Structure formats: structure tokens, C-alpha cells
Amino acid sequence: MKAEIIAVGTELLLGQIVNTNARDLASGLSDCGVIVYYQTVVGDNPGRLKQAIADAYERVDLVILTGGLGPTKDDLTKEIVAEYFGKKLVLDQPSLDRIQGYFDRMGREMNETNKKQAYMPEGCIILENNCGTAPGLIVEEGGKIAILLPGPPKEMNPMFEEKVKPWLSGKTGSTIKSRTLKMTDIGESNMAAEVSDLMEGENPTVAPYAKEGESELRITAMAKTEEEADGLIEPVAKEIYARLGEYIYGEDDTTLVEALVKKLIEKKITISTAESCTGGLIASEITSVAGSSEIFGSGYVTYANSAKMKMLGVKDKTLADHGAVSEQTAKEMAEGARAASGADIAVSVTGIAGPGGGTPEKPVGLVYMALADDKGTIVKKLNLDGSRDKVRRRTVKYVFKMVMQRIDEKGDNK
Amino acid sequence: MKAEIIAVGTELLLGQIVNTNARDLASGLSDCGVIVYYQTVVGDNPGRLKQAIADAYERVDLVILTGGLGPTKDDLTKEIVAEYFGKKLVLDQPSLDRIQGYFDRMGREMNETNKKQAYMPEGCIILENNCGTAPGLIVEEGGKIAILLPGPPKEMNPMFEEKVKPWLSGKTGSTIKSRTLKMTDIGESNMAAEVSDLMEGENPTVAPYAKEGESELRITAMAKTEEEADGLIEPVAKEIYARLGEYIYGEDDTTLVEALVKKLIEKKITISTAESCTGGLIASEITSVAGSSEIFGSGYVTYANSAKMKMLGVKDKTLADHGAVSEQTAKEMAEGARAASGADIAVSVTGIAGPGGGTPEKPVGLVYMALADDKGTIVKKLNLDGSRDKVRRRTVKYVFKMVMQRIDEKGDNK
């Protein structure tokens, strides 16, 4: 079934609120095997709303509308939909009683205008609102379906989950499922180039996405059941792992740092951090993961040279000969942090995050990162661009990738 | 001018991401005196995208499209718009050079497909992308305007602010300007009560906002020119400073930590951090501010008790008698960090961020923070609720407020 979501509300058009309803409905609809082709936002304007509904039924057979079911004059969604389907609004006593009961419970007087909310298009399915006054409703006629839901997410979401979803899944008898493979160390275009043939597929589809220094491939299948969808997705996922497995660190909601901390815990590898330009960001990312205390005991933020020497034992001569932003300093920082913390692995970062501090030889974005473990110390050089914040955040990603690779080298990766 | 926003992306239709672009664009457009009549979302589908564009120009004269400017096969927005306006795509050498330069700086190979991003509709205005590879563009013909922007908010928002807004304000001849006064240590309602008379104004308007532990007053004026708008805003701002100046730490995009670092630099006060549950977040926030090296030399992330003892000299007995999350431990952490770092001020945090680790006596959200300086040591107890992330972030805010207050006590605050 093809659907369009129409969110009604001038505050959306003015950008005063973000349209989370469209996101929540879209994600819920695809779970029911409904394909959302369009999302639309219109203001509380009768003419434009009427036109939007007419346009929608040119394109799809299911239209979900949120908002405009309130008691005030400019809440018109129900009236316009009834008019579109040529249905009269009739008083629904049970709805009126529920609204009355709602006000009684709140110890508030029911305003005359609230009665408006109890008038429903004749012959519609009424969706009780347990979180507010405005009932939702479903109108079905001539192959066209309109589902009207209240605008406040607190009212809309439970109504959709409890009443609309079961009704729709019954209609479609099908479901859509997605699986996302998340990668590092490969750009979106290079990744896409590796699987361009798979991206031609219809079911499942394969689509690439890029997010700050990471790339994703999303496999989406439509089927009668979840199991069937998984069956369609699995071989494609296998093929992608065969081609790009080395870059894949996790799936779906897993973040790189979560995948790393999980792996460190599994392998019982402890880690420490020595940070100059990232200034504690690496440590704060690691400790943002619940359970990280199992593998992280201490971190060193050594912004000043004196701190690098005092806390990490970086040699005066090293700083004098090579400077704070150098391969040698990064190496001594990592080794110093490992010695001071007693951790299995220590990582270090020293660089120029900018916007100031750059020189022709050592420009903004120059970062050295090092990793010290029982096998020795590796140092990597990065040349990043972008804002101070971006340089710092991307450095953190590169550090996590470096650790990932290093511990994957250490024997098997189960 | 009437506008429609079209966001292009299957991930939006599937409800995998929320359409913050539409919100940001809508609010930015109204700043330029542009009225948004519709917002639409379509997938990466040539036919439907083409239809959506045609429909939009039936209703409005300005269409802003975001997304689909990437290097991959299914990025089609530019191609479809060029087709709609009957324009050829021609290689724009400066764009190609910028993209090449971007890859060079990243030390990454430029894939053939990336060249696609340098082909632009003939005669369009090109909008440089300083945060990514895909340039934006403006096509204007026969009274129709199309503005194409990249999908990632980190690329779209700066491009809109820096390039599109001035261009549009020039077109509409009217501009809306806002100035936001940001405050701490005063609740939204108390703040509003102090300026209720000013909130009656029509132009400029004064509106209160509350954001995680902070309060804001936004002054908004509409005028022909920026200068004229400033002229309307200035006297109102003066009046608010006269009434609430003691709470105002900054304006507009200034963050609390930026204001704090600025003040520390002005007063030549150095600071160090000792962090348990925030795990480096305080240090990383301080060092996120350019120039912070003037006042921040070192920080200690002491997640394990052993680290608290070794790095900060917290007494074994203190941890044994009172536990790691206690007033006494927080005090010794701050004093230890001050001694070890030689900084004028040291702050410490120890608490239970959750989700695990809580007990009836010491529940999740219990945090002790301390500040040690030449006047002594103060310790404050917090009981926060929310997720691990929220507890950590709110703790950081409270620590910054504590420092703000403390250094304001130290003599005058100019």
C-alpha cells in the first residue's frame, strides 16, 4: 500500500517545531509494509489543506493526517476530510462522554468548543484517545483510506501503536525490514563503487549513506513476514561482508565507540588515553559507554608541554627537538600513558586543532596519534580539515579505528 | 515571496531520520521575509522528485531542495532540477578543484563518481561548500527560483546562513533579525517576570526560552535593513541588561563554556579538572574553545579508585570510609588536581551516571562536584535524573556555573 503523511500545523511551516510525527509515522508505517511515498506539511488553511488532500489521493491510496483535531476554530482537518469524502459530521455520544470524563478527571470545566471534538464523519472507525481529548479516526471508501491522528506526539504515538498499526498490518499482510552495515576507513563513493551492482537490486534495495567519517550501506527488503525479509536481506549482507568486511565495524544502531568498548571488554583489554588537542574527548567518548569502567581506569589530558613531561614523562629534549606536535612526542605520550596507567593499550593524540596555531610546516589539521601496547608503538599522521570541532571529532574516530585494527590483529576477532 | 521546502531522501520517508532541515530552513526563511506554504519529502526517485518539483511551482515561486547532491547514483536532485529548467550540466572547474583539494587534504583518493558533484546547471549561482564536497546552487529563471542545498545539516546550515540568507534578504527587501541574551542562575519564569512589560512589544518582540538549565530572552525585529533592525533591538537590549545584567553570560551563539573560558582568560585564572563520572567531558568542553590553552594545562580522568589515589592523592581511607561517590572524595580529588596541576582553580566530579551502579543510598544521578582554589574548597551535591548522557552533560553545566559564580565573587566582573 502506498501512503502519504500530511502534517497540519502552521508552527511546522514557521520552523518553530520539528516534525517528529512524520518520522515516527513513517517508521511505524514501513513496519506494517506500507510504503510512504511523500510527506507533506501544510498550515491551518482550509484551501491549501483541501488541495493537499486532493493531491495526495492523486498519488497514493492511504493518507495519514496529524494535527488539526483540536477544539479551536482553526482546527479543520476532520471537517475538510469529511467534506472531501462527502460525509456529514455526526455527534458520537461515546466520544463526547469520554471527553466529558477527561475534563471531570482533570477537575476542569468542559468548554462548549470541546464538543466539536465529538462530532465525527458518519460511518468512520473511531480511535479512542487515552492521552487527550481529540479522538482519532479512520475513513475508508472507494479504495481510499484516510487516517486522522491528533498532533501532539504524546497523543499520536500511542494511538498509532495501539490502534492503527494492528489495523494496517491486517490490511497489508506484509512488512518492510532494514539492516544497516556501518563502516569506517572507506569513503561513501568508494564504498558505493564496490557494490554498485547490488545497488541495482529492487528487493532488497541497497542504499549508501555517509555520516562524519563513516559510511553505511542500508539493505531494505519487503516481504510477507519478518523472517522472509531476513531471508532476502541475508545473502546480500553476506555478499557485502565478502567485499567490504574489513571496513564493517557494526550494524544498525551500534556506534564505533560502542563497538570498540564491547570488543575491548570481550577481549579483556584495558585502555588508557593521553590527549593534547582532543583535550579529553577520547576519554569522554569511551566513558560515555555504560560498562566502560571494565576496560578504562584513567586518562591524561596533557594540554601543556609541562603536563606532557610531568604526567607522561615526555622528554624535554623531544619537545625541544621535534615540538609538541610530532611523531616522537605522540610516541612518548602513548608509552608514558601506558606505563603510568598500567593499561594494556594506551593511545595518544597531539595536533593542531585550530583555528589558530598553524604554521606552513605544521598546518591546522595536522595530528599525530600513537598506540602503545605489548607489541610496541605505532604512530600515524593525519591531515584533517574543517573546524576545530570537526578536527577533534574526526581525530577521535581515527583513534578508535586505529585501536580496532590493532586489537583485530591480536589473534581472532570473535 | 512564497516558498516550498522539498527534502529529498529515502531515509526520511522510511522514518530513519527526522527532518530537522525543514525546520531549520523554515525558520531561516521567515527571517528573510519568505513565507513557507508547504514542506514536502520525496525519496531518491527521479519520477516522483520531478513531479514534486512541478507541483511545487504550481503553488510557489521559490523552491528550496535539500539532499540528493551526493556523488552516488541515486543522488539526482541537481540532474532533475536542471532537466526541469531545460539546462545542461556543465563542468565547473573551480568546484572540481575544491573537491579535489578536499580529497587531497583528507589524503584520500578522489573517486571518479565525485566528479559528478562538479557538474552544475549552466548559468546557475554556485554556493561553495566549506564543510563537504557537494556544492549548492541557485537557479533563477522566468520568475522561478530553485535553491539546492546538501542534505547533511552540518553542510546545509552553514551554507544557508552564509550564502542563501543574504541573497534572499536582498530579493525580499525585508529582514528579520534576532538577538538572544543568554542567562544562567535564573529560572525562565523569574526571568520573564522581570521583563513582562517588554514582552508586550510588537516590534521588536521579546520572547523567553529555557534550555537545559539555562534561560534566554530573544529580541526579534523586522525591518528593511539589518541596521534598521539593530536600531530597534538595541534600546530593548539595553533595558534588559539594566534589569538582568547580572545573570547574562553571553549573547546569541555564545555558549556557557565559551563565556567561562573567555572570563578565565581575561582574569588570567588557570583551571584543572579531575573527573570520574564525566570521564573527560569537562576537559573536552573547555578545550573545545579556541585559546583555552591559555588557562588549561592539564586534566585528570580518574575513573578507577586506583587512579584517584595515584593521580590525585585521594586517601585510601577516604575511599574505604565514604566511597568513591562522596563529598570527601570529591573534595580530595579537587585539591589533589589543584596540587598536581599547579592551576589556580581545580574542579572535580564524582557520581553515578548510570544506568547501572545505583543503590538506595547512592542512586543513579547522585553527583558530587567540588572546586578548590586559594580561598578553600567548596563541594556541592547534585541529584540529577535522565539518561547516562544527560546526567553527564548536566553535571558539566553545573560545574561551569559553579566556576562562574566563584570567579565572579573574586573582585569585579568586567
Side-chain angles (χ1 to χ4, degrees):
Chain A
M1 199 184 309
K2 298 179 193 172
E4 174 160 346
I5 297 166
I6 300 179
V8 184
T10 301
E11 69 275 33
L12 287 165
L13 287 183
L14 289 174
Q16 287 160 343
I17 57 173
V18 62
N19 191 0
T20 54
N21 282 1
R23 189 265 320 270
D24 297 339
L25 286 171
S27 131
L29 286 164
S30 52
D31 296 346
C32 313
V34 173
I35 307 168
V36 177
Y37 273 3
Y38 301 89
Q39 295 170 7
T40 309
V41 176
V42 284
D44 306 297
N45 172 292
R48 286 194 286 276
L49 176 53
K50 202 165 171 178
Q51 187 58 52
I53 292 168
D55 293 345
Y57 282 117
E58 294 290 317
R59 314 186 275 223
V60 301
D61 15 65
L62 168 62
V63 177
I64 296 98
L65 300 104
T66 66
L69 296 183
T72 73
K73 267 205 201 65
D74 62 356
D75 291 303
L76 294 157
T77 308
K78 194 170 53 183
E79 290 71 8
I80 303 259
V81 168
E83 190 184 329
Y84 177 84
F85 282 93
K87 292 185 177 299
K88 280 206 310 294
L89 290 171
V90 294
L91 177 65
D92 179 61
Q93 193 57 46
S95 295
L96 185 59
D97 297 343
R98 269 194 302 277
I99 295 168
Q100 182 64 64
Y102 179 90
F103 278 93
D104 295 346
R105 283 198 302 285
M106 311 280 292
R108 270 168 45 203
E109 185 74 18
M110 182 167 96
N111 187 304
E112 261 307 305
T113 59
N114 289 98
K115 288 197 176 154
K116 174 175 177 293
Q117 298 185 297
Y119 281 83
M120 313 296 279
E122 46 188 351
C124 72
I125 300 169
I126 288 161
L127 309 171
E128 299 179 18
N129 186 342
N130 303 323
C131 311
T133 56
L137 64 108
I138 301 175
V139 179
E140 185 173 16
E141 187 157 294
K144 294 176 184 172
I145 301 171
I147 301 178
L148 280 65
L149 302 170
K154 280 202 299 264
E155 301 179 31
M156 187 207 76
N157 284 317
M159 191 182 285
F160 183 80
E161 285 298 318
E162 295 158 22
K163 311 221 161 61
V164 180
K165 257 187 164 181
W167 188 85
L168 277 175
S169 295
K171 284 237 164 252
T172 60
S174 79
T175 177
I176 288 183
K177 213 174 166 188
S178 282
R179 186 167 154 194
T180 303
L181 309 184
K182 302 178 109 179
M183 309 182 203
T184 60
D185 290 324
I186 182 168
E188 182 187 10
S189 48
N190 291 326
M191 173 187 72
E194 291 292 325
V195 294
S196 53
D197 56 328
L198 302 178
M199 286 165 57
E200 314 265 326
E202 292 276 314
N203 190 24
T205 58
V206 176
Y209 300 97
K211 294 208 192 83
E212 50 172 31
E214 297 190 30
S215 303
E216 300 182 356
L217 282 176
R218 183 169 301 139
I219 314 167
T220 305
M222 173 182 258
K224 286 224 165 354
T225 65
E226 295 234 330
E227 296 61 36
E228 201 182 311
D230 290 333
L232 291 164
I233 290 171
E234 184 52 30
V236 177
K238 262 213 178 68
E239 181 57 31
I240 295 171
Y241 268 96
R243 298 185 197 181
L244 296 165
E246 60 185 307
Y247 304 110
I248 299 171
Y249 69 78
E251 298 193 0
D252 299 327
D253 299 337
T254 313
T255 63
L256 181 56
V257 67
E258 283 167 356
L260 175 60
V261 169
K262 183 162 171 283
K263 192 170 280 189
L264 288 167
I265 291 173
E266 281 167 8
K267 292 169 172 271
K268 298 189 165 45
I269 299 171
T270 58
I271 189 166
S272 181
T273 54
E275 305 183 64
S276 188
C277 65
T278 49
L281 195 55
I282 299 173
S284 73
E285 283 285 311
I286 291 172
T287 57
S288 73
V289 182
S292 50
S293 55
E294 283 185 48
I295 50 92
F296 182 88
S298 61
Y300 308 82
V301 184
T302 56
Y303 224 47
N305 283 351
S306 56
K308 293 180 179 74
M309 293 190 282
K310 185 176 173 193
M311 292 164 71
L312 303 172
V314 173
K315 293 191 215 67
D316 199 348
K317 187 174 189 318
T318 307
L319 292 164
D321 295 353
H322 306 284
V325 179
S326 65
E327 190 179 335
Q328 294 81 355
T329 299
K331 181 171 183 293
E332 292 185 17
M333 283 173 72
E335 291 168 354
R338 183 164 182 257
S341 65
D344 301 320
I345 290 182
V347 290
S348 72
V349 163
T350 179
I352 299 153
T359 67
E361 310 73 46
K362 296 186 176 181
V364 169
L366 173 67
V367 176
Y368 291 93
M369 59 181 187
L371 183 156
D373 64 11
D374 55 0
K375 292 194 296 185
T377 304
I378 51 172
V379 184
K380 290 185 182 177
K381 179 183 181 178
L382 303 171
N383 290 293
L384 306 172
D385 70 346
S387 65
R388 178 183 181 87
D389 180 59
K390 200 168 176 191
V391 167
R392 282 160 47 100
R393 301 209 164 274
R394 303 206 48 211
T395 298
V396 172
K397 284 253 159 103
Y398 278 104
V399 168
F400 290 154
K401 292 178 196 178
M402 176 173 64
V403 179
M404 269 286 197
Q405 287 170 349
R406 184 71 159 191
I407 60 182
D408 286 350
E409 293 164 12
K410 297 177 163 251
D412 82 304
N413 177 9
K414 291 286 169 306
Chain B
M1 200 185 308
K2 296 180 193 172
E4 173 160 346
I5 296 165
I6 300 179
V8 185
T10 302
E11 69 273 35
L12 286 165
L13 287 183
L14 289 172
Q16 282 150 345
I17 57 173
V18 61
N19 191 2
T20 55
N21 283 1
R23 190 266 320 267
D24 297 339
L25 286 172
S27 104
L29 285 163
S30 59
D31 293 349
C32 312
V34 174
I35 307 164
V36 177
Y37 272 8
Y38 300 90
Q39 296 170 8
T40 308
V41 176
V42 282
D44 307 296
N45 172 289
R48 285 192 287 277
L49 177 53
K50 201 166 171 178
Q51 188 57 52
I53 293 168
D55 293 345
Y57 283 116
E58 295 290 316
R59 313 185 276 225
V60 301
D61 18 60
L62 168 61
V63 177
I64 296 101
L65 299 103
T66 66
L69 296 184
T72 72
K73 271 207 195 76
D74 60 359
D75 292 304
L76 293 158
T77 307
K78 193 170 54 184
E79 290 71 9
I80 303 276
V81 168
E83 193 183 329
Y84 177 84
F85 281 92
K87 292 186 178 298
K88 282 207 307 295
L89 289 171
V90 294
L91 178 66
D92 178 60
Q93 192 58 43
S95 294
L96 185 60
D97 296 343
R98 269 193 302 276
I99 295 168
Q100 182 65 63
Y102 181 89
F103 277 93
D104 294 346
R105 284 196 299 284
M106 314 273 297
R108 266 171 46 202
E109 183 75 18
M110 179 165 104
N111 186 295
E112 261 307 305
T113 57
N114 287 99
K115 289 201 177 145
K116 175 174 174 297
Q117 297 185 296
Y119 281 83
M120 312 297 278
E122 45 189 351
C124 72
I125 300 169
I126 289 161
L127 308 171
E128 297 180 18
N129 185 340
N130 301 322
C131 311
T133 57
L137 63 109
I138 301 175
V139 180
E140 184 171 16
E141 188 159 290
K144 293 176 182 172
I145 301 172
I147 301 177
L148 279 65
L149 302 170
K154 279 185 182 158
E155 300 179 29
M156 187 206 78
N157 284 319
M159 191 181 285
F160 184 79
E161 283 299 320
E162 295 157 20
K163 310 223 161 58
V164 179
K165 260 188 166 181
W167 189 86
L168 278 174
S169 295
K171 286 254 161 222
T172 58
S174 87
T175 179
I176 291 182
K177 208 169 169 196
S178 284
R179 188 166 151 194
T180 303
L181 310 184
K182 302 177 108 179
M183 312 181 201
T184 59
D185 295 319
I186 181 168
E188 184 186 11
S189 49
N190 292 331
M191 174 187 70
E194 291 293 326
V195 294
S196 55
D197 56 327
L198 302 176
M199 285 164 60
E200 316 256 312
E202 292 275 314
N203 191 24
T205 58
V206 176
Y209 298 94
K211 288 208 197 81
E212 48 173 31
E214 298 188 31
S215 304
E216 300 181 354
L217 280 175
R218 183 173 305 148
I219 312 167
T220 306
M222 178 179 250
K224 286 223 164 3
T225 65
E226 295 235 328
E227 295 62 35
E228 202 181 310
D230 289 333
L232 291 166
I233 291 170
E234 182 52 29
V236 177
K238 264 216 176 69
E239 181 56 29
I240 295 172
Y241 269 95
R243 298 184 196 181
L244 295 167
E246 60 186 305
Y247 303 109
I248 299 171
Y249 69 77
E251 296 194 2
D252 299 326
D253 300 337
T254 310
T255 62
L256 182 56
V257 67
E258 283 166 358
L260 175 60
V261 168
K262 185 159 167 286
K263 191 170 282 188
L264 288 167
I265 292 173
E266 283 167 7
K267 293 170 174 267
K268 298 188 166 46
I269 299 171
T270 59
I271 189 165
S272 181
T273 55
E275 305 183 63
S276 189
C277 65
T278 48
L281 195 56
I282 298 172
S284 73
E285 284 285 311
I286 291 171
T287 57
S288 72
V289 182
S292 50
S293 55
E294 283 185 50
I295 50 92
F296 182 87
S298 61
Y300 308 81
V301 184
T302 56
Y303 223 47
N305 283 350
S306 57
K308 293 180 179 73
M309 292 189 283
K310 186 175 173 193
M311 292 164 71
L312 303 172
V314 173
K315 293 190 213 66
D316 198 348
K317 186 172 189 321
T318 306
L319 292 164
D321 293 353
H322 307 285
V325 179
S326 64
E327 190 180 334
Q328 296 80 355
T329 299
K331 182 172 183 293
E332 291 185 17
M333 284 173 70
E335 289 168 354
R338 184 164 183 257
S341 66
D344 301 320
I345 291 181
V347 290
S348 73
V349 163
T350 179
I352 299 154
T359 67
E361 309 72 41
K362 296 184 176 182
V364 168
L366 173 66
V367 176
Y368 291 94
M369 59 182 187
L371 183 155
D373 64 11
D374 56 0
K375 291 194 296 183
T377 306
I378 52 173
V379 184
K380 290 186 182 178
K381 177 182 180 179
L382 303 172
N383 289 293
L384 305 172
D385 62 356
S387 65
R388 177 182 182 86
D389 181 58
K390 199 168 174 193
V391 167
R392 283 160 47 99
R393 302 209 163 272
R394 295 191 54 202
T395 298
V396 172
K397 280 258 163 103
Y398 279 105
V399 168
F400 290 154
K401 287 186 191 181
M402 176 174 63
V403 179
M404 268 289 198
Q405 287 170 348
R406 186 72 159 188
I407 61 182
D408 286 349
E409 292 164 12
K410 297 181 165 237
D412 81 301
N413 177 11
K414 290 286 166 305

